[in-house]
Amino acid sequence: MKLEYIVKNNQFTINHILQNELQISSRLLYKLIRLKKIFLNGILCDTRKKVLENDVISIDFNYEEDNSNIVPTKMNLDIIYEDDWLLIVNKPAGIAIHPSILHYSDSLSNGIKFHFDSISLNKKIRPVNRLDSDTSGLVVFAKCEYIQECLILQMKNHIFQKEYLAICEGNFDVISDIISLPIARKENSIIERCISNDGQMSITHYEVLKQFNDYVLVKCILETGRTHQIRVHFSAIGHPLIGDSLYGSSSKLIHRQALHCYNLKFTHPITKENLEFFSELPSDLKKLLKE
């Protein structure tokens, strides 16, 4: 897990290139310097040094991290993609991403820890995007903190795109629109969110794909990534997700909110390749569309 950069301009220091060209955060840069993981032309270097054209800066991310806080649990992971830098899995509904008091050993991160152990990767578990426990779909895990930083920056710059499929109650008069409503934590609740003028700007783009008798299949693209954003936004416009007992009502047709992260697009931080991944609708949502 080594990153190499060939210098194109001899006016800058190694520090400048690492922070501005490779976009390594100051926190991570200090850590790499402390661990002695930055090299110039194969030799450990002082990062304040100026470089020459065609010099090679290399960074070794193979150092071990303590991930003993997560219990490894064997799971049948649906791995969509994996390389030395990142892992993408298709998360089923009903499984939390992070361990907690209620999910100490059965979260998705527990399964990822077991997988990392099986390939002798001693790294912290770093999910890049997050899904609610009862939301299914694609989740990216970074295999080192540099990849996590890069992908989070891509999210902020709208390069990392997430598309969801939702099944909502009612029929839409407007087939394609943008929901722009601020979201805040609901007073006296650690879970529930609400629309509030004091909340954070939240933007959801949607397009109706198919109208049924009393519900609709909708494609959603998030411009922002607030907790429960899609669920809160569609409830606010009078079309809560089917089965969403928190922001709408429970359903006899499905035992969770009808929401699935089916498409991810981003640029690979190392290869610079534009990547795109898809996940089919799970069986409970397919069944719902056939009712």
Side-chain angles (χ1 to χ4, degrees):
M1 195 182 292
K2 292 184 178 179
L3 172 61
E4 290 191 344
Y5 177 86
I6 300 175
V7 175
K8 304 176 182 64
N9 192 313
N10 61 3
Q11 299 179 15
F12 303 118
T13 64
I14 296 171
N15 279 332
H16 178 93
I17 290 173
L18 295 179
Q19 291 186 292
N20 293 277
E21 298 297 325
L22 298 180
Q23 297 181 317
I24 294 177
S25 69
S26 297
R27 181 195 57 80
L28 178 54
L29 178 57
Y30 295 148
K31 180 177 181 178
L32 293 168
I33 293 171
R34 177 172 54 82
L35 294 176
K36 299 181 179 180
K37 295 297 181 181
I38 303 172
F39 303 86
L40 180 64
N41 300 322
I43 301 172
L44 186 66
C45 62
D46 182 339
T47 58
R48 295 168 294 185
K49 177 182 174 64
K50 281 193 173 183
V51 292
L52 300 175
E53 188 175 353
N54 294 322
D55 275 348
V56 178
I57 300 171
S58 56
I59 307 165
D60 182 5
F61 290 102
N62 285 314
Y63 53 87
E64 294 187 358
E65 296 175 316
D66 180 15
N67 57 14
S68 60
N69 62 315
I70 296 181
V71 176
T73 303
K74 187 175 183 179
M75 294 182 182
N76 293 320
L77 297 175
D78 183 7
I79 297 177
I80 303 299
Y81 175 86
E82 183 175 18
D83 63 16
D84 290 341
W85 300 96
L86 54 90
L87 171 71
I88 302 175
V89 298
N90 191 27
K91 184 185 89 68
I95 180 171
I97 288 183
H98 297 284
S100 64
I101 294 175
L102 297 177
H103 301 284
Y104 180 71
S105 62
D106 63 355
S107 74
L108 185 59
S109 290
N110 295 108
I112 299 299
K113 173 62 162 60
F114 185 93
H115 177 70
F116 279 10
D117 286 353
S118 72
I119 60 175
S120 300
L121 181 64
N122 296 310
K123 290 289 188 181
K124 291 182 178 179
I125 311 304
R126 295 184 168 92
V128 176
N129 61 312
R130 290 168 169 78
L131 302 179
D132 298 334
S133 174
D134 283 337
T135 298
S136 54
L138 299 171
V139 182
V140 181
F141 288 85
K143 288 186 174 181
C144 71
E145 48 201 316
Y146 175 64
I147 298 300
Q148 183 183 41
E149 287 187 352
C150 289
L151 294 181
I152 288 174
L153 184 61
Q154 286 189 30
M155 286 184 186
K156 292 179 179 177
N157 294 329
H158 307 299
I159 298 169
F160 189 114
Q161 295 187 14
K162 299 168 283 187
E163 295 188 5
Y164 294 75
L165 292 175
I167 304 176
C168 303
E169 296 180 7
N171 283 301
F172 285 64
D173 295 327
V174 181
I175 300 301
S176 178
D177 203 356
I178 300 173
I179 306 172
S180 181
L181 295 170
I183 294 176
R185 187 188 301 272
K186 190 172 183 178
E187 189 176 357
N188 299 322
S189 175
I190 61 172
I191 297 174
E192 197 171 352
R193 267 55 178 179
C194 64
I195 301 300
S196 171
N197 291 332
D198 297 327
Q200 293 178 297
M201 178 188 68
S202 307
I203 300 173
T204 302
H205 300 251
Y206 78 81
E207 176 187 353
V208 172
L209 299 181
K210 189 172 182 179
Q211 301 234 27
F212 297 85
N213 289 334
D214 52 1
Y215 53 88
V216 176
L217 176 64
V218 181
K219 179 175 76 172
C220 315
I221 300 176
L222 298 184
E223 190 171 321
T224 55
R226 312 302 178 205
T227 299
H228 297 177
Q229 178 173 316
I230 292 173
R231 299 166 65 186
V232 174
H233 271 175
F234 282 102
S235 177
I237 65 171
H239 297 285
L241 274 59
I242 290 182
D244 190 348
S245 57
L246 188 60
Y247 299 105
S249 58
S250 58
S251 171
K252 295 180 180 179
L253 302 176
I254 190 170
H255 301 296
R256 60 157 175 132
Q257 66 264 10
L259 183 61
H260 180 70
C261 180
Y262 86 102
N263 179 230
L264 293 179
K265 303 174 188 176
F266 59 91
T267 301
H268 196 295
I270 306 301
T271 68
K272 305 306 178 185
E273 180 184 1
N274 292 325
L275 300 177
E276 184 170 13
F277 302 95
F278 291 92
S279 167
E280 288 188 10
L281 277 175
S283 57
D284 59 346
L285 296 188
K286 286 181 178 179
K287 182 180 178 181
L288 182 58
L289 294 176
K290 292 179 181 179
E291 293 288 342

